[in-house]
Amino acid sequence: MNASPPIVAVCLNPAVDVTYPVHRLIPDSSHRVTGVLSRAGGKGLNVARVLRQLGADATVLGLAGGASGARVADELAHLEVPAHFTRIAGETRRTVTVLSGDEATVFNEAGPQVTAAEWDTFRSDFADRTGGARMVVLSGSVPPGVPETAYAELTGLARRNGATVLVDATGPLLRHALTAEPDVVKPNAHEVGDLVGVPVRTRDGAVTAARELIGRGARIAVVSRGAAGFVAVTPDLACAVGVSERVPGNPTGAGDALAAVLALGLACRDPWLAVLSAGAAVSAAAVACSQAGEFDADVADWLRPGVTVDFI
Ligand SMILES: Nc1ncnc2c1ncn2[C@@H]1O[C@H](COP(=O)(O)OP(=O)(O)OP(=O)(O)O)[C@@H](O)[C@H]1O
Ligand SMILES: [Mg+2]
């Protein structure tokens, strides 16, 4: 891999992810919580963490407010992930996961209300700070008040700055983003099925959906299919990529790891098939880590020779 050019990962709706382990979750009763875990989360942060683990020059741009916003910023500083958060008056959200044995019950706050003036300030910070970026990754949800056209607007600004843009989003955010012609989109099969209105259950179904994403404006479409790997479609090549066996573990954040590898590979202008193989190995190795935003480097090295690429 060539030396990393600057990459920006956007996280408009970061969170303090709190995990409460309990002996057994019983509704309508009180629980003693042992060993509370708390960690900065959000898809853009996961992407940035994986990029850093890959040795990339990654910076986070986002919105943050209140004590939990300060907590997210502190943790990134501690991890030595450069970050610039546009301050908002609202409080950055929390997510709460109650862990009872193998069962996880998740409570997701929507996020703080963002004013039109705060969104304007973010857009201008973004335009300033992506001036030297080779690649911009737009991923995850947006908080209330940020328009559905957010990723379309940011794609336009980043492209004007000469950056390549990868969008990993869902619903109206993705639908609007496509109209701004991003370089790469990486939804999962479920998300792309919702967008095109046809459930995506097979490899060929994923290829058809990816072609529709290209028809709607993307230059490259990657549709991830969990343990079945992913399909990657460009105007002149379609292939299905994956590792030879299912990896047990925590699949949350595997898609963020794939987005990080695609972003770095494209930013470095690495050969496309090498980027895809690395994407399969690293995203599968992310499943082997209990925390989203990390991958097990030994597992990735071990999986790499067994990656299969089928041309369609
Ligand atoms: N159990 C698994 N074993 C091997 N590889 C996996 C497994 N789960 C996921 N992957 C790899 O990770 C990639 C991304 O996974 P997935 O489709 O679940 O992403 P996602 O739903 O976007 O995840 P998230 O949004 O939580 O990051 C897959 O295309 C595949 O390459
Ligand atoms: Mg995803």
Side-chain angles (χ1 to χ4, degrees), residues 150-175:
Y151 287 167
E153 293 174 39
L154 298 182
T155 296
L157 291 171
R159 293 283 294 274
R160 241 164 276 149
N161 275 338
T164 300
V165 180
L166 184 152
V167 177
D168 180 2
T170 180
L173 280 171
L174 174 58
R175 184 162 45 80

Side-chain angles (χ1 to χ4, degrees), residues 43 186 188 224-227 229-230 243 245-247 251-256 258 280 283-284 287:
K43 303 194 87 57
K186 194 240 63 81
N188 66 28
S224 65
R225 305 177 56 229
F230 58 86
V243 293
E245 58 194 277
R246 178 189 195 97
V247 174
T252 304
D256 304 330
L258 176 57
S283 59
V287 179

Side-chain angles (χ1 to χ4, degrees), residues 295-309:
F295 66 95
D296 185 319
D298 292 336
V299 171
D301 288 344
W302 183 75
L303 288 168
R304 188 79 179 253
V307 171
T308 56
V309 180

Side-chain angles (χ1 to χ4, degrees), residues 42-126:
K43 303 194 87 57
L45 299 195
N46 292 342
V47 171
R49 284 190 183 115
V50 171
L51 281 168
R52 297 292 291 184
Q53 197 182 339
L54 290 165
D57 170 3
T59 301
V60 172
L61 298 184
L63 296 167
S68 42
R71 162 90 178 68
V72 168
D74 280 354
E75 185 173 324
L76 289 180
H78 187 70
L79 293 170
E80 296 178 2
V81 178
H84 302 280
F85 287 102
T86 302
R87 287 185 69 90
I88 54 172
E91 172 93 21
T92 289
R93 69 192 172 131
R94 286 151 306 164
T95 69
V96 176
T97 301
V98 179
L99 262 188
S100 161
D102 285 347
E103 290 177 345
T105 308
V106 184
F107 300 86
N108 278 321
E109 294 180 23
Q113 185 68 41
V114 175
T115 65
E118 288 168 340
W119 173 238
D120 273 353
T121 307
F122 177 81
R123 282 190 311 185
S124 109
D125 288 349
F126 175 88

Side-chain angles (χ1 to χ4, degrees), residues 138 148-153 155-156 165 167-169 171-183 185 216-218:
L138 305 171
E148 288 177 346
T149 52
Y151 287 167
E153 293 174 39
T155 296
V165 180
V167 177
D168 180 2
L173 280 171
L174 174 58
R175 184 162 45 80
H176 287 291
L178 287 164
T179 66
E181 304 187 350
D183 298 276
V185 290
R216 291 194 193 191

